[in-house]
């Protein structure tokens, strides 16, 4: 098995069928398996998947176990040499997985990679671009919504001026479309640290990759459409703020507050 595509869903019925079909179309030559872990959807997500793709593997949780834990459930039963974590509101282009897996095979030093993520208009989505490793004051500024008053405050963190046409080593990439080597996951004993319910688990995994001697890379060799945060839109602002702060505290307790030197 070349690649295991793992997707965590929560009330994603409106997007997941399109995503699954795009995954099938993206793999012309590589062998894939797709595993869906549903976190207690109430909108008929599981039924829609089973009716449209009856052969696909679905783990239906009775409750929302969070992004990291649910992805780890999928990893446990997966068999691919690589693991692609792919959100339900993503769309891959035909044949793109063949290209991506071939690229990963040629770049042995890369532990985690992400492609160019586009918005629904087909333009590079700056909101889902790679980020520098976070510093405490930057995350507090986000909580206090200070960038609304001082737009350039987070330019460094958000890598303002990022060249999306250039392949490059970066600090961290989005967990919405993240290709990871199996050996990295096996060394860690899990994909995502289960202490994170949502947020910061992808940044944490990128930190772990560097700790283990790999690099994290962005490559525009393929692109994918990211409808970005469709499930989040169904959550209240208070819920999102609470999860962000909780995960932020976990992250800085684990890694410290000093600027990262990679």
């Amino acid at each position: 098995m070349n690649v295991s595509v793992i997707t965590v869903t929560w009330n994603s019925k409106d997007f997941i069928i399109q995503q699954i079909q795009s995954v099938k179309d993206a793999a012309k030559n590589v062998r894939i398996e797709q595993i869906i872990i549903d976190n207690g959807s109430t909108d008929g997500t599981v039924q829609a998947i089973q009716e449209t793709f009856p052969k696909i593997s679905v783990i239906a949780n009775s409750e929302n176990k969070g992004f990291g834990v649910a992805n780890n459930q999928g990893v446990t039963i997966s068999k691919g040499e690589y693991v692609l974590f792919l959100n339900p509101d993503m769309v891959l282009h035909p044949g793109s997985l063949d290209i991506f897996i071939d690229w990963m095979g040629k770049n042995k030093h890369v532990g985690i990679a992400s492609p160019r993520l586009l918005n629904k208009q087909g333009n590079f989505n700056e909101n889902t671009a790679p980020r520098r490793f976070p510093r405490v004051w930057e995350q507090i500024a986000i909580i206090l919504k200070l960038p609304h008053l001082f737009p350039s405050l987070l330019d460094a963190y958000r890598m303002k001026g990022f060249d999306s046409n250039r392949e490059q080593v970066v600090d961290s990439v989005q967990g919405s479309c993240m290709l990871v080597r199996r050996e990295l996951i096996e060394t860690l004993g899990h994909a995502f640290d289960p202490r994170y319910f949502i947020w910061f688990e992808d940044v944490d995994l990128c930190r772990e990759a560097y700790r283990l001697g790999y690099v994290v890379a962005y490559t525009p060799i393929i692109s994918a459409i990211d409808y970005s945060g469709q499930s989040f839109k169904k959550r209240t602002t208070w819920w999102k703020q609470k999860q962000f702060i909780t995960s932020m505290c976990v992250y800085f307790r684990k890694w410290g507050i000093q600027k990262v030197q990679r």
Side-chain angles (χ1 to χ4, degrees), residues 50 73 162 194 200 202:
Q50 292 174 333
Q73 286 181 272
F162 180 79
F200 286 88
D202 47 2

Side-chain angles (χ1 to χ4, degrees), residues 196 204 207-208 211 250-257:
Y196 301 95
D204 180 276
R207 287 285 297 264
E208 293 285 17
R211 183 179 66 82
V250 171
Y251 177 84
F252 286 113
R253 278 198 299 266
K254 178 176 179 178
W255 296 103
I257 62 174

Side-chain angles (χ1 to χ4, degrees), residues 22-23 26 84 86 90-94 96-97 177 222-225:
S22 80
V23 169
L84 177 65
L86 189 70
M90 298 289 304
V91 176
L92 301 182
H93 292 121
S96 59
L97 270 181
C177 186
I222 70 164
S223 60
I225 299 173

Side-chain angles (χ1 to χ4, degrees), residues 21 38 90 98 103 118 140 150 172 192 196 198 222 230 237 240 249:
Q21 187 59 55
D38 185 79
M90 298 289 304
D98 298 338
W103 179 91
L118 311 175
I140 292 175
F150 308 99
S172 68
F192 297 106
Y196 301 95
I198 190 72
I222 70 164
Q230 295 302 313
T237 300
K240 289 183 280 190
C249 291

Side-chain angles (χ1 to χ4, degrees), residues 195-207:
R195 288 177 289 182
Y196 301 95
F197 185 84
I198 190 72
W199 262 305
F200 286 88
E201 68 286 312
D202 47 2
V203 183
D204 180 276
L205 182 56
C206 291
R207 287 285 297 264

Side-chain angles (χ1 to χ4, degrees), residues 83-136:
V83 177
L84 177 65
F85 297 103
L86 189 70
N87 277 8
D89 51 6
M90 298 289 304
V91 176
L92 301 182
H93 292 121
S96 59
L97 270 181
D98 298 338
I99 298 169
F100 204 11
I101 297 303
D102 180 69
W103 179 91
M104 197 71 161
K106 294 175 180 176
N107 291 272
K108 304 294 186 183
H109 63 299
V110 176
I112 299 173
S114 181
R116 186 205 312 259
L117 301 182
L118 311 175
N119 59 28
K120 61 182 179 181
Q121 287 79 33
N123 301 315
F124 176 67
N125 190 345
E126 293 183 359
N127 292 327
T128 56
R131 295 280 185 263
R132 290 193 172 92
F133 287 130
R135 291 176 287 184
V136 172

